[in-house]
Amino acid sequence: MTEPTQCSPFSSQARYSLASSQAMLAARVVFGLGTAIFLMLVMALLAHIFESSSRWPALLSNNAAVLILLAVAWYNAQRICQWRAIIFAPTLKPEDAAETEPLPMIYQRLGALIPISFKRFGALLTSDGIGLAAMAAFVLFVALSGWNTHYVALDEGTVRWVAVGIIATAMFATLVAERHLAATASEAWPEAKFIAPILRVTLAVQLLSLPALIFPTTNLSLLVNLPAILVVLVAIEFLLRGLFSLFTPPGEEGCEPKFLAQSQLAAQLVWPPRPLLFLQRELHHHFGIDLRQLWAFTVLRRAFLPVLAVMLFCGWLLTGMQQVSPTQRGIYERFGKPVAVLPSGLHYGLPWPFGQVILAENGQVHELAAGEEADTPAEPLANAEGNAPQSADRLWDAIHSFDKAQIIASQSGNQQGLQIINSDVRFMWRVGLTDNAALAATYNSVNLPELIRSAANQVLVHQFSSLTLEQVLGEQRIELASQINQAVQQKLDGLHSGVELLSTVVEAIHPPAGAADAFHGVQAAQIAAQALVSRERGHAAELAASAQTTATTRQNQAQMNATDVTSKAQSTAVRFAAQKQAVAKSGQVFVDELWFSQLHQTLGKSPLLIIDHRIGATSQPTIDLREFPSLSQAARKDAPSKPTQESSR
């Protein structure tokens, strides 16, 4: 709670008479704190350069940051005490005041030429609010610069015990100073009650820094970063106070300056905590509301503890209610003994710590590489449009982090030996779906992937030791995966692990360098032989198709010739039958006509005059105008094509 601003004569008040000595004390404290802060920041920077994951930079940065907050509070108090000392000092003579009048600053000279209020701008830059906000931002930077999520263990040496002794001594000095300022009367020094909470924050940061030094092997990052959280919260409050002070109306001239470096958060570090009392005082001071006069608040204060006890008891009973998701199973423990495996849904049992539910997997499938280390970081997902990830490289001349070296049998001439190959064997596994499998997987092993990897490595050593390189790279590869899966499953069943192997895949086998080169040659020869066989098969198919085409053509030609001869024979037979029938019906007339036709064809186109002796003198002459083909045309067409004229008499 801040006091009202005093604007009356101050020479009668005790704080003005002690202001000079208080300002001197504050200046000495600020100088000492500045020296300590400088040394701590230098040591933190050196520790961060040599080993960034050490906890020394974080511890030194946290303590330096809280000392900066304390130095800011003391510096603000020093300025107020100096103002009081000037007010309390005797008034200067006019001639002395003229001699001590400061020369005009550069921005004051520019103000006469440029119509800008440089005086107001300079006053803004030199105000306590800007300085407090700037120092708070610097504190945030110092506190967060030592923040880390992973810290290495400290060395077992005397350095950390020396640091514990220094912090313990500083805690004692801080506690004495805090008790002295807390007991100081407000009439003697009003700023003492605002500096005391900052001293309590400093004491809390020093106390929280001790566990990180006393327990050097504990790598819990929250244990080291907890002091930084407290410092950051107070620094944020200082930053907001400094910025908000710029928007508050300035006090009257001659009024006492306000102490800005105060923290309501630090003021809550008292025992027992009294947040309601703080709220009651603030309401009474700012709004004139006295909550002590309200009957409802009196009843609420009296019933607060019973109601809180009932709420805590009901909350404790609700700890027996557990929800199991559809992808999990719950193992219910009653007094530390498992009694049932719960399916997905909402279940209720005894409250904690008498009953609890341990969640287990329910059918999730995992992939495990036999050669992958337990602490190997997961490979980030590859972009569909980008390059392929490193795990997709299956070339023999590439080094893979997930490969496992194996020893196989080898034979060179009549001598037997060993060879080393790299294999990538992957297992698809899950926790069994039965209740016994869930109990075994939860209680019989601490780390299931490490157990599967250990059992798989033992089986792989046994399986590969009896195989040669030709067998490993040949047709036994599929059978090898089946044998490995069966052997590993038997070993896991013997250990009562509750793990079910779904499949085992021999992803890749990389032979030794010399064997890889030879096998590359064998593969190249095999590819060349297969290409030659394919080419010869294509040539044979081409020849067979050509022969088939030729045979089909000749067969069709023979069938065509046979059909032509048959047609001619049939035509001749029909003509012979017709001529025979004509002879039978017409007799000698047809024979004569046929004889004349052949004679006409034989003699060609020569004009003929045929005189028949059988024609009588008394008979009328007969002219035969029929046309008959020539002999050459009859041979080609066997039919008359051009008429000829004959006459007979």
Side-chain angles (χ1 to χ4, degrees), residues 62-312:
N62 296 337
N63 286 272
V66 74
L67 290 182
I68 295 174
L69 294 177
L70 184 60
V72 170
W74 278 100
Y75 179 73
N76 202 344
Q78 176 191 353
R79 295 190 60 181
I80 297 177
C81 292
Q82 289 176 349
W83 182 88
R84 293 197 189 108
I86 295 174
I87 294 298
F88 183 75
T91 306
L92 298 176
K93 296 179 181 180
E95 56 272 13
D96 297 336
E99 293 177 358
T100 58
E101 183 178 358
L103 296 175
M105 303 299 292
I106 182 65
Y107 62 85
Q108 294 176 350
R109 298 177 181 177
L110 293 175
L113 302 176
I114 304 176
I116 298 178
S117 180
F118 286 96
K119 183 178 180 180
R120 183 176 299 178
F121 183 72
L124 179 64
L125 293 179
T126 57
S127 62
D128 293 339
I130 290 294
L132 182 63
M135 294 306 298
F138 180 67
V139 169
L140 290 175
F141 171 75
V142 173
L144 296 178
S145 62
W147 189 283
N148 201 349
T149 57
H150 179 72
Y151 298 97
V152 297
L154 292 177
D155 297 334
E156 294 290 342
T158 58
V159 178
R160 62 187 184 90
W161 292 114
V162 172
V164 170
I166 295 175
I167 292 178
T169 305
M171 289 176 59
F172 177 76
T174 305
L175 181 61
V176 172
E178 189 273 335
R179 289 291 87 196
H180 175 72
L181 293 179
T184 302
S186 299
E187 292 78 9
W189 197 4
E191 290 76 26
K193 60 182 179 181
F194 299 127
I195 301 177
I198 308 301
L199 286 172
R200 288 196 291 270
V201 173
T202 306
L203 186 63
V205 171
Q206 294 170 350
L207 180 62
L208 294 175
S209 300
L210 289 178
L213 296 173
I214 298 176
F215 306 102
T217 58
T218 303
N219 292 329
L220 185 61
S221 60
L222 181 61
L223 186 66
V224 184
N225 296 328
L226 188 59
I229 298 176
L230 184 59
V231 175
V232 167
L233 293 177
V234 178
I236 291 175
E237 185 178 0
F238 273 29
L239 179 62
L240 296 178
R241 283 183 177 274
L243 296 178
F244 290 159
S245 66
L246 302 177
F247 301 95
T248 57
E252 299 179 2
E253 186 176 359
C255 292
E256 185 175 343
K258 296 181 180 180
F259 186 82
L260 296 179
Q262 53 180 308
S263 173
Q264 296 295 344
L265 179 63
Q268 305 305 317
L269 296 178
V270 293
W271 187 261
R274 298 175 181 177
L276 296 180
L277 181 60
F278 166 75
L279 178 62
Q280 178 181 341
R281 289 179 179 177
E282 291 295 324
L283 290 176
H284 185 266
H285 174 69
H286 292 285
F287 303 102
I289 300 175
D290 190 3
L291 298 180
R292 293 176 297 181
Q293 304 298 328
L294 299 179
W295 175 83
F297 284 96
T298 303
V299 175
L300 179 62
R301 184 181 62 181
R302 294 178 180 177
F304 178 74
L305 292 179
V307 172
L308 180 62
V310 172
M311 292 177 61
L312 292 177

